[in-house]
Amino acid sequence: MASHDMASIAQALVAKSKGILAADESTGTIAKRLTLIGMPSTEENRRDWRELLFTADGFADYISGVILYDETIRQKAKDGTPFVDLLNKAGVIPGIKVDMGAKPLAGSPDEKVTEGLDGLRERLAEYRKIGARFAKWRAVIDIAADQPSNYCLDVNAHALARYAALCQEADIVPIVEPEVLMDGDHDIDRCYEVTSAALRTVFAALDTQRVVLEEMLLKPNMVISGKKCPTQASAAEIAEKTVRCFRNTVPAAVPGIVFLSGGQSDEDATANLDAINRIGNLPWEVSYSYGRALQHGALMAWGGKPGNVGAGQRAFAHRARLVSAARDGRYSAKMESEAA
């Protein structure tokens, strides 16, 4: 199963100064984003928004790959160029979200399990033909007084590992995303405990299912306080506990960790990534796979108006430049106000 190609793609996705743009919002999620700017979620409007991102000047300096949604990977730019070709020409690797979303877990309906394994082998073969070179599957782990259960951790880890093995069979690099949510009032130590348990369970399942660690990436949450926790941890504490957690659970053979932003503000997601990278001497490349934290400022600057495309692209490039600096441990808050 070993493939030099998959290992080299995994490494290219976490190249210095670069990370991944998650533009794989489902139709329902992107409708919520477009509603913020008073725009109906038509196929044309969704395409226009993604085209704004994919044609921004210099974005390939900071973005190594883009995770696409099923609709998006099949779309073409206004001039008729398929988005996949547009990205490849810019030197950006196309990827695809392949899970079918989190559904109530049978036997524990307050918890979630991600579905989408049925027919996945065939879908991966099709996506590979269209041009996808990596994929993503997200598991959702909620923290509550008696959650997550070991049952929830086990079934989500099993699904992630099944997905990853099928990806590697199809010559597609899997991004394995066990997201411990930051909703709730738990403190950072509780997040540390649950994130550690989730990662241990995931890597045990990956080992059982013969997933080649050198040919995958991990997309986890940071170890962080819950949004409703009265005491919010500092960037330094988040960095220290995140690094300690991952050193204890993530094998050094994994080429890279691409953090999700998980509901953090643009600035927090940038500052926290910077603090993690400043610790240094880590066994993996530590980068980003951000969705909202890379897109929000651009969406607001664009506002759905054709005359504002340039402003939206400048806002996107500005945030991408800052997140890239954080990925290299050289971000500072004063860069926020520097000219976009």
Side-chain angles (χ1 to χ4, degrees), residues 232-251:
Q232 290 292 312
S234 65
E237 187 180 5
I238 289 165
E240 188 274 321
K241 287 188 168 154
T242 298
V243 168
R244 179 148 47 96
C245 173
F246 283 72
R247 279 191 181 279
N248 283 327
T249 54
V250 180

Side-chain angles (χ1 to χ4, degrees), residues 260-337:
L260 55 88
S261 47
Q264 299 178 61
S265 70
D266 306 2
E267 293 83 358
D268 286 349
T270 309
N272 291 334
L273 179 65
D274 179 73
I276 290 166
N277 273 301
R278 281 179 188 261
I279 290 175
N281 196 29
L282 303 174
W284 343 262
E285 294 296 330
V286 174
S287 187
Y288 50 92
S289 177
Y290 287 174
R292 201 204 58 79
L294 273 169
Q295 296 180 37
H296 182 72
L299 184 70
M300 294 297 119
W302 174 48
K305 297 178 175 62
N308 289 345
V309 167
Q313 291 181 324
R314 286 189 294 277
F316 172 50
H318 178 63
R319 175 55 55 193
R321 187 161 59 247
L322 268 51
V323 176
S324 164
R327 182 255 177 275
D328 294 342
R330 52 182 182 78
Y331 162 81
S332 70
K334 73 173 190 295
M335 294 167 73
E336 292 286 345
S337 53

Side-chain angles (χ1 to χ4, degrees), residues 66-67 142 183 188 216 298 326:
V66 177
I67 310 171
D142 214 350
D183 306 330
I188 190 170
M216 62 158 277

